[in-house]
Amino acid sequence: MKVVERLPEYEVKRSRRTTADIVVERDGRIIVRAPEWADDALIASVVKDRQYWIFKTLAEWREMNRSHIPREYRNGEGFLYLGRTYRLTLDPDTTEDLALKNGRFHLKRDLVVDAEGQRVREAFQNFYQRKGIKLLPGWVDYFAPKIGKIPVSVSVRDTGHWWASCSAKGSLAFHWKCMMAPRRIIDYIIVHELCHMHHRDHTEAFWNEVDKILPDYRERKEWLRKHGAGMDV
Ligand SMILES: [Zn+2]
């Protein structure tokens, strides 16, 4: 086995926690989350101990990002909604910026003004956000009593590198990209966040809670890991 001599580059985030852990962010950055008292030498030794795991995870990350699909805003291009692909029609007559009708996305043609497609991207984000605000609260309401926690609010926005988040006060926020995923994957994201209202971390106790509601959560989690990067506009 090849000995890796150089440690990968990483960022350190210190906080009021008791143990250190390492995460590979969705943009490929390696973050070491450490207690405030941990010095640089200790952190370096933690990274060294886990370097094989880090390289393995980075390799998987690169593999996953290969599933990222560059899309063009032209007739016939496919875009996702609830796990299904719908073709795009550039519509010169429509009044709405973007709507899903008769099995196609109808985009107001005037919005395609440049190669970057900033206005088209905004139209898609607004579409997913609108759908999310309409549908997600009801889906959350379905799972909340099963988990025994009722969130104080449900919002849909750009949550950065996270599919969703749960605040300490119990506010759930979902990334608008969630609406591109199949329903069973969204269910997993919902259950995951609701279970954080019992356990803030990803301990065994946390996964036990998820398992009670979704015994096949591992498969759903794996799907998200594999296909997450392909979910964009
Ligand atoms: Zn989590």
Side-chain angles (χ1 to χ4, degrees):
M1 187 183 288
K2 190 167 167 267
V3 175
V4 181
E5 280 155 3
R6 249 173 63 104
L7 289 180
E9 280 183 29
Y10 55 89
E11 292 168 40
V12 179
K13 280 186 185 162
R14 288 185 176 82
S15 64
R16 284 167 54 191
R17 51 185 297 142
T18 52
T19 56
D21 73 0
I22 301 171
V23 287
V24 175
E25 292 276 15
R26 292 187 53 224
D27 58 4
R29 282 179 307 145
I30 299 159
I31 313 283
V32 182
R33 300 186 298 194
E36 266 151 6
W37 50 262
D39 61 18
D40 291 349
L42 180 73
I43 289 167
S45 79
V46 169
V47 173
K48 198 164 188 298
D49 283 348
R50 300 206 60 201
Q51 59 179 312
Y52 285 109
W53 176 86
I54 293 170
F55 283 114
K56 187 174 143 273
T57 307
L58 274 179
E60 283 172 1
W61 179 82
R62 283 188 203 101
E63 184 58 37
M64 184 188 87
N65 277 278
R66 245 176 249 162
S67 73
H68 181 85
I69 302 156
R71 289 184 172 84
E72 286 181 66
Y73 306 125
R74 55 173 169 75
N75 277 310
E77 183 68 281
F79 289 86
L80 290 164
Y81 176 56
L82 296 180
R84 285 190 56 190
T85 297
Y86 296 92
R87 302 282 152 206
L88 186 67
T89 297
L90 300 182
D91 196 331
D93 303 318
T94 180
T95 49
E96 288 173 281
D97 284 354
L98 180 70
L100 187 58
K101 49 190 177 191
N102 306 322
R104 291 183 82 98
F105 273 117
H106 287 256
L107 177 75
K108 190 193 272 185
R109 199 172 63 187
D110 297 352
L111 296 180
V112 187
V113 285
D114 54 24
E116 281 84 58
Q118 186 55 38
R119 294 187 65 195
V120 179
R121 211 179 139 76
E122 280 167 18
F124 269 102
Q125 286 179 17
N126 288 338
F127 172 86
Y128 294 122
Q129 199 149 3
R130 269 199 325 272
K131 293 290 185 186
I133 287 163
K134 199 173 139 195
L135 296 169
L136 285 169
W139 296 348
V140 169
D141 284 350
Y142 171 80
F143 285 110
K146 297 178 193 291
I147 290 155
K149 290 283 181 183
I150 308 294
V152 295
S153 65
V154 175
S155 61
V156 183
R157 53 188 173 84
D158 189 328
T159 51
H161 299 306
W162 306 98
W163 288 110
S165 68
C166 172
S167 78
K169 286 182 180 147
S171 297
L172 301 192
F174 294 89
H175 202 297
W176 52 263
K177 286 183 185 179
C178 290
M179 298 311 288
M180 303 174 93
R183 174 68 197 274
R184 63 189 191 86
I185 303 301
I186 301 176
D187 285 349
Y188 162 69
I189 298 171
I190 291 170
V191 169
H192 182 121
E193 294 309 322
L194 284 172
C195 287
H196 275 318
M197 294 178 76
H198 284 297
H199 306 278
R200 301 291 304 158
D201 41 26
H202 295 115
T203 52
E204 212 180 311
F206 166 80
W207 291 113
N208 278 340
E209 290 294 328
V210 178
D211 187 77
K212 277 187 216 163
I213 311 297
L214 303 174
D216 64 349
Y217 77 86
R218 286 178 191 83
E219 183 266 318
R220 304 188 202 214
K221 187 171 171 239
E222 179 63 12
W223 188 97
L224 195 57
R225 195 185 66 77
K226 266 195 190 146
H227 301 282
M231 283 161 40
D232 209 342
V233 289

